[in-house]
Structures are given as structure tokens and as C-alpha cells.
């Protein structure tokens, strides 16, 4: 993980405003673990926190994907109905 805010590994932006409080807590714990164990992190010391964070981010991503899918279906339905006439 880099020291710059918002940057993560694997193309994941870890900025706090993009994630839930639960995931932000796990991100903070992982950053703290990496800071405290800057050598032991290479030997798996922080793996449990890392797995929990990745699982949380996956859950967020899937929920967002489902919301987007529902929104797209709603927009398709509205387009098929055509414009509403108002006089």
C-alpha cells in the first residue's frame, strides 16, 4: 500500500468517502498493521485484516452493481413507456 491517500493496490481506490464505515475501519486497521509491522507484513502478519478488507470491498462492489442494474432496468422501462404527456 502506498503512503498517498486514496491509492491502493490492484487499482482499488481506498479513499474514505468511497466506502462504508465498516470498510473504512478495516482499511485503517490494515494501514496501521502495515505501519507497525513493516517487515513482518511480508510474512503474513496482516493477512487476516487484508482478507476481511477485501471481502468487505467485494460486498460493497456487488451491492453497487445490483443497484446499478436495478436503475438500468427502471430506465429501460421508462424509455419503453415513452414520454409522459402534460398539457
Amino acid at each position: 500500500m502506498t503512503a498517498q491517500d486514496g491509492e491502493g493496490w490492484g487499482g482499488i481506490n481506498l479513499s474514505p468517502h468511497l466506502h462504508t464505515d465498516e470498510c473504512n475501519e478495516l482499511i485503517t486497521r490494515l494501514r496501521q498493521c502495515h505501519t507497525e509491522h513493516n517487515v513482518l507484513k511480508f510474512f503474513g502478519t496482516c493477512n487476516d485484516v487484508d482478507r476481511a478488507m477485501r471481502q468487505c470491498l467485494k460486498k460493497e462492489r456487488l451491492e453497487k452493481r445490483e443497484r446499478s442494474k436495478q436503475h438500468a432496468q427502471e430506465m429501460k422501462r421508462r424509455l419503453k413507456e415513452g414520454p409522459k404527456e402534460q398539457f
Side-chain angles (χ1 to χ4, degrees):
M1 201 179 295
T2 63
Q4 295 177 347
D5 282 343
E7 289 189 20
W9 60 99
I12 300 170
N13 189 332
L14 299 176
S15 297
H17 69 282
L18 297 175
H19 302 288
T20 62
D21 291 337
E22 175 188 359
C23 289
N24 281 329
E25 174 65 29
L26 291 169
I27 291 167
T28 302
R29 285 179 43 203
L30 181 62
R31 284 184 173 157
Q32 181 181 1
C33 183
H34 281 186
T35 302
E36 292 173 0
H37 307 287
N38 56 347
V39 173
L40 292 176
K41 68 183 177 184
F42 297 113
F43 298 102
T45 301
C46 304
N47 284 358
D48 292 337
V49 179
D50 183 45
R51 284 187 201 101
M53 182 201 69
R54 288 179 182 273
Q55 184 177 12
C56 184
L57 294 176
K58 181 178 180 179
K59 185 177 83 170
E60 275 185 350
R61 186 180 69 249
L62 294 177
E63 288 171 357
K64 182 177 179 182
R65 183 177 174 190
E66 186 60 33
R67 284 193 311 267
S68 178
K69 185 178 176 182
Q70 295 298 328
H71 179 70
Q73 289 173 347
E74 175 65 20
M75 290 296 111
K76 282 182 184 179
R77 183 188 63 76
R78 287 176 59 190
L79 282 171
K80 284 182 182 179
E81 289 176 0
K84 295 181 181 179
E85 295 182 29
Q86 295 180 357
F87 294 100

